[in-house]
Amino acid sequence: IDPAVTKDGEKLWMSFGSFWDGIMLIELDPKTGLCKNIDQKPKQLAAAPEIEAPFIHKDGAWYYLFVNWGKCCRGAKSTYEIRVGRSKKITGPYEDRDGIPMVAGGGTLVLGSKGRFIGPGHASILQKGKNQWLAHHYYDGEDRGISKLRLVGLEWKDGWPLVKE
């Protein structure tokens, strides 16, 4: 569920995540787009109750794994929130700001529900020049919980993403 493809040099990777079994990573064959080694078990990057929607972004020397915790698709009752960990290698291990491995339930909060913006989820990063924005969906608490898309400014402080709301 929720696959996200990342190119790292000449290598192509796909992260994906099961709501129940955690976030996984496989290497893809860049010529076919298929799994490069079907005999190799996917690498687990993160685990937590109710985790999905991975997105890997490289900034400087770090790889950042953005994930969602909670429940989506419930309108104004959604509990989604965006969490992150970082690693020096795309294959992990990813740790949160407190050094807790994401495979052990770690994940630093990036964006949670606030005001009308309920259940932010499915993060990705848009970059133009030196400017970056965090793209995500949310449920509008002032418009019947309808799902909408939002861009918020993104900057990096002390090696961690910080949204500018």
Side-chain angles (χ1 to χ4, degrees), residues 8 57-58 61-65 85-90 94:
D8 185 35
H57 174 76
K58 186 170 188 203
W62 293 99
Y63 293 90
Y64 294 85
L65 173 61
R86 70 182 188 181
S87 174
K88 291 286 188 177
K89 298 187 303 185
I90 196 166
Y94 288 87

Side-chain angles (χ1 to χ4, degrees), residues 53-125:
F55 177 77
I56 297 174
H57 174 76
K58 186 170 188 203
D59 192 83
W62 293 99
Y63 293 90
Y64 294 85
L65 173 61
F66 292 83
V67 298
N68 270 98
W69 283 10
K71 292 183 173 83
C72 80
C73 313
R74 288 164 172 75
K77 294 181 181 177
S78 295
T79 60
Y80 246 17
E81 59 186 28
I82 300 170
R83 299 228 167 213
V84 71
R86 70 182 188 181
S87 174
K88 291 286 188 177
K89 298 187 303 185
I90 196 166
T91 56
Y94 288 87
E95 294 181 349
D96 69 12
R97 180 171 241 164
D98 295 322
I100 300 170
M102 290 186 79
V103 293
T108 299
L109 182 65
V110 174
L111 192 59
S113 293
K114 184 176 181 184
R116 75 183 299 168
F117 306 103
I118 299 169
H122 290 257
S124 62
I125 295 175

